[in-house]
């Protein structure tokens, strides 16, 4: 069994992914009566939709198998939508007719398909998109329900395709659009199962045994340890409003998503239309999502974590939101005060 899965996971170096063209300013590009959707790699998000009427939107997405970094010195053969984990962010509007074109790169070793949780129809599109290497499939669907939805590969064995990174988010905006914010970010948690231990160097094969037992080697944001740290940290300025589109690809674990030092002003629970206010930590199920919004009132390094906290410090689920700007001592001082405690007096009778 191990030998079979090792052969399935043989590494294939992929060339650069050629995505759909961007118009000036990052806006969607109309071509006659057709609109071609802008697809963005994490942590970026396509611009908000400003049109007031539904449109015929074409989404071109390519599936690529490629070796990428899991951690320092550690690589993994990821299966991807668009060459990244999570896959490209897709943004449409309620009422749009979406023409979905799915390509499987010619040097892929596996067939793939796509199940979009935003789709009303058999398999969420999976039945229509059985795509062999070097081939292309397509189908159309009507975006009926606004919300933030996971998409993933649903080719058997489904768990293995998801565990190798085949998931992403599609946003169906409401007709009136979302309230404006200053910054939007795309963050998806995933759990990965390697035969080697955490940090063991080299190209790590997928472990079916660990996946079945639900014992991940890595739990990370955006496909790798440190994907949202250092030069890749999210950035904002004090006073800006922030919206994070947060997903959980799974395939197994539930995420307890939390930003240390912030309180979510609004959480659109499970990516739906209603929100809850003043939330500290929100649960995001495998195959689910949430939209969280807050104002960055003060500068600092705010830490994104899965508050199942051993995952954060021992498996990799840690990111940084770096907020720059002037301090606001009315909200937070950050000063340390040395306080002298009075010498303890002996108890009566001592």
């Amino acid at each position: 069994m191990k030998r079979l899965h090792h052969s399935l996971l043989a590494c294939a170096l992929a060339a650069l992914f050629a995505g759909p063209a961007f118009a000036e300013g990052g806006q969607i590009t109309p071509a006659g009566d057709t609109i071609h959707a802008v697809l963005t790699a994490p942590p970026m998000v396509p611009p908000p939709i400003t049109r007031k009427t539904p449109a015929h939107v074409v989404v071109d997405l390519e599936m690529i198998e490629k070796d990428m970094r899991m951690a320092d010195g550690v690589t993994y053969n990821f299966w991807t939508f668009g060459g990244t984990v999570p896959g490209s962010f897709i943004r449409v509007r309620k009422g749009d007719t979406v023409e979905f074109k799915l390509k499987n790169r010619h040097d892929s070793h596996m067939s793939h398909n796509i199940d979009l949780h935003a789709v009303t129809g058999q398999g969420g599109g999976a039945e229509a998109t059985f795509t062999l290497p070097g081939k292309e499939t397509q189908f159309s669907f009507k975006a009926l329900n606004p919300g933030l939805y996971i998409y993933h590969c649903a080719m058997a064995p489904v768990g293995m395709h998801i565990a190798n990174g085949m998931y992403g988010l599609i946003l169906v905006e409401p007709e009136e659009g979302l309230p404006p914010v200053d910054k939007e970010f795309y963050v998806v948690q995933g759990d990965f199962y390697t035969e080697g231990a955490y940090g063991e160097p080299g190209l790590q094969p997928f472990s079916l045994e660990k996946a079945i037992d639900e014992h991940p080697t890595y739990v990370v944001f955006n496909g790798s340890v440190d994907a949202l740290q250092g030069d890749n940290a999210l950035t904002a300025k004090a006073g800006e409003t922030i919206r994070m589109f947060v997903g959980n690809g799974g395939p197994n674990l539930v995420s307890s998503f939390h930003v240390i030092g912030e309180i979510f002003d609004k959480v659109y629970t499970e990516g739906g239309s209603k929100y809850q206010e003043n939330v500290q930590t929100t649960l995001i199920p495998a195959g689910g999502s949430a939209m969280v919004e807050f104002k960055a009132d003060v500068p600092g390094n705010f830490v994104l974590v899965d508050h199942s906290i051993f995952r954060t410090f021992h498996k990799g689920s840690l990111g940084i939101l770096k907020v720059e700007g002037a301090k606001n001592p009315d909200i937070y001082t950050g000063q340390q005060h040395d306080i002298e405690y009075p010498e303890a007096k002996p108890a009566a009778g001592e």
Side-chain angles (χ1 to χ4, degrees):
M1 176 64 75
K2 283 188 178 180
R3 192 170 300 166
L4 172 62
H5 285 290
H6 289 179
S7 64
L8 291 175
L9 287 163
C11 56
L13 294 176
L16 293 176
F17 169 60
F22 279 62
E24 184 176 356
Q27 298 298 314
I28 50 180
T29 307
D33 296 328
T34 300
I35 292 174
H36 289 270
V38 167
L39 306 182
T40 57
M44 306 309 294
V45 180
I49 295 173
T50 56
R51 53 187 165 82
K52 302 301 180 184
T53 57
H56 177 210
V57 180
V58 176
V59 175
D60 287 288
L61 190 58
E62 187 176 23
M63 299 174 289
I64 304 170
E65 301 170 13
K66 60 188 297 191
D67 292 351
M68 296 190 293
R69 176 188 178 276
M70 175 68 78
D72 286 344
V74 183
T75 55
Y76 188 81
N77 185 239
F78 292 89
W79 301 351
T80 76
F81 289 102
T84 62
V85 178
S88 304
F89 194 100
I90 305 168
R91 194 168 195 160
V92 297
R93 178 189 181 277
K94 179 183 177 181
D96 284 349
T97 297
V98 182
E99 182 182 348
F100 210 98
K101 298 182 178 181
L102 192 66
K103 302 178 180 69
N104 193 358
R105 193 176 167 110
H106 64 86
D107 56 1
S108 293
H109 287 71
M110 303 292 293
S111 296
H112 301 292
N113 65 6
I114 193 166
D115 169 6
L116 300 110
H117 290 189
V119 170
T120 301
Q122 186 169 347
E127 298 294 333
T129 55
F130 177 90
T131 313
L132 295 167
K135 301 298 182 180
E136 176 181 339
T137 56
Q138 67 182 73
F139 75 105
S140 296
F141 69 94
K142 189 88 164 183
L144 299 177
N145 303 94
L148 181 66
Y149 300 94
I150 280 279
Y151 66 80
H152 61 86
C153 185
M155 188 68 64
V158 179
M160 182 178 180
H161 286 250
I162 296 174
N164 285 335
M166 296 199 79
Y167 47 77
L169 289 178
I170 176 171
L171 172 67
V172 180
E173 286 202 25
E175 293 174 339
E176 68 278 11
L178 295 174
V181 293
D182 296 309
K183 291 283 182 69
E184 292 182 328
F185 298 112
Y186 176 26
V187 178
V188 179
Q189 181 172 314
D191 34 293
F192 290 87
Y193 303 82
T194 63
E195 291 199 359
Y198 182 94
E200 187 171 324
L203 179 64
Q204 286 297 317
F206 166 74
S207 170
L208 180 63
E209 291 78 12
K210 284 185 179 179
I212 292 173
D213 290 340
E214 301 186 9
H215 291 158
T217 318
Y218 297 88
V219 183
V220 297
F221 296 128
N222 288 7
S224 66
V225 177
D226 302 335
L228 297 177
Q229 298 184 52
D231 293 340
N232 298 319
L234 307 178
T235 60
K237 296 179 180 179
E240 288 186 324
T241 52
I242 295 168
R243 176 182 293 127
M244 291 184 181
F245 299 104
V246 187
N248 182 7
N252 290 322
L253 301 185
V254 173
S255 173
S256 301
F257 185 71
H258 175 74
V259 177
I260 299 174
E262 272 294 349
I263 298 166
F264 302 138
D265 298 325
K266 296 179 181 178
V267 173
Y268 292 81
T269 308
E270 298 190 16
S273 301
K274 305 297 182 182
Y275 60 81
Q276 189 175 13
E277 297 179 316
N278 303 322
V279 176
Q280 58 187 317
T281 301
T282 189
L283 288 173
I284 306 176
S289 65
M291 291 185 288
V292 302
E293 298 178 2
F294 58 94
K295 183 179 179 181
D297 293 292
V298 296
N301 289 330
F302 297 87
V303 184
L304 285 63
V305 300
D306 179 343
H307 218 296
S308 296
I309 210 69
F310 276 97
R311 300 174 187 171
T312 292
F313 296 106
H314 297 274
K315 294 180 181 289
S317 58
L318 189 150
I320 299 292
L321 170 65
K322 185 176 182 180
V323 179
E324 297 181 337
K327 295 182 179 180
N328 187 342
D330 289 337
I331 296 176
Y332 181 76
T333 62
Q335 297 175 350
Q336 294 182 347
H337 300 279
D338 294 326
I339 300 174
E340 292 187 7
Y341 289 92
E343 185 177 348
K345 295 180 180 180
E350 291 186 1

